[in-house]
Amino acid sequence: MTNQTEIATQARKEWMGLLARAPDDALMTLWDGIQDRPSFEWLRSPEVGGVMVRGRTGATGAPFNLGEMTVTRCSVVLQDGTVGHGYVQGRSKPKAEVAALIDAMMQTPAADDLQARLLDPLQQQMQAAKTTRAAKAAATKVEFFTLVRGED
């Protein structure tokens, strides 16, 4: 039982992280292609706030406050009682709403269809953008070398 709960929790972390990092336009374009959207009620309507971002020097040092970041959050409940939460970077209330709806839908039997039609293409788009960005950075790489000067 615990193992399945851990697997479900990890899967939810992955799709919520994907939705939080996704570019607004890419997510909204894919969401527009989803026709069978469930009706819902607000548990918490979209609201904008700030969170403190913490960091660690060298990923192992003592944590320190790096700065604040704007986030938008909301929570919805579907007609069947499934609750979804959306936390996204920035001030996009529509994106937070969509993220919460997708989170809720991913906990229903519609999850496989939504995974194939929205989350997988979104992941592929984001991976392609990351690969392109890495290729551009690699193209600017400069190899430095030194010649040993002989001293007589």
Side-chain angles (χ1 to χ4, degrees):
M1 175 83 174
T2 303
N3 193 26
Q4 287 199 349
T5 302
E6 290 173 9
I7 291 170
T9 300
Q10 183 60 35
R12 189 171 186 197
K13 283 181 184 180
E14 289 174 10
W15 78 61
M16 289 184 80
L18 176 66
L19 295 169
R21 291 185 308 273
D24 291 19
D25 56 343
L27 177 60
M28 299 310 251
T29 299
L30 288 168
W31 179 248
D32 288 341
I34 305 297
Q35 301 301 321
D36 48 340
R37 299 178 188 176
S39 56
F40 67 92
E41 291 183 25
W42 295 110
L43 289 177
R44 173 182 288 136
S45 62
E47 55 190 14
V48 177
V51 295
M52 179 60 68
V53 178
R54 302 197 76 195
R56 291 180 182 267
T57 304
T60 59
F64 64 93
N65 292 339
L66 185 63
E68 291 186 5
M69 180 175 121
T70 304
V71 296
T72 305
R73 69 178 182 176
C74 74
S75 297
V76 299
V77 61
L78 302 181
Q79 296 300 319
D80 66 0
T82 306
V83 176
H85 305 283
Y87 289 84
V88 298
Q89 298 178 55
R91 298 176 172 269
S92 178
K93 291 181 179 182
K95 182 181 176 188
E97 176 186 337
V98 167
L101 281 168
I102 292 170
D103 178 46
M105 291 172 67
M106 286 297 293
Q107 299 172 65
T108 68
D112 291 336
D113 183 51
L114 195 60
Q115 180 77 40
R117 294 176 54 204
L118 193 139
L119 294 179
D120 288 344
L122 186 61
Q123 177 68 40
Q124 291 167 358
Q125 287 178 17
M126 291 176 65
Q127 186 60 44
K130 184 177 180 180
T131 302
T132 301
R133 192 169 49 249
K136 284 182 182 180
T140 64
K141 182 178 178 183
V142 178
E143 294 289 334
F144 291 95
F145 63 93
T146 59
L147 297 175
V148 176
R149 219 170 87 187
E151 297 290 325
D152 290 339

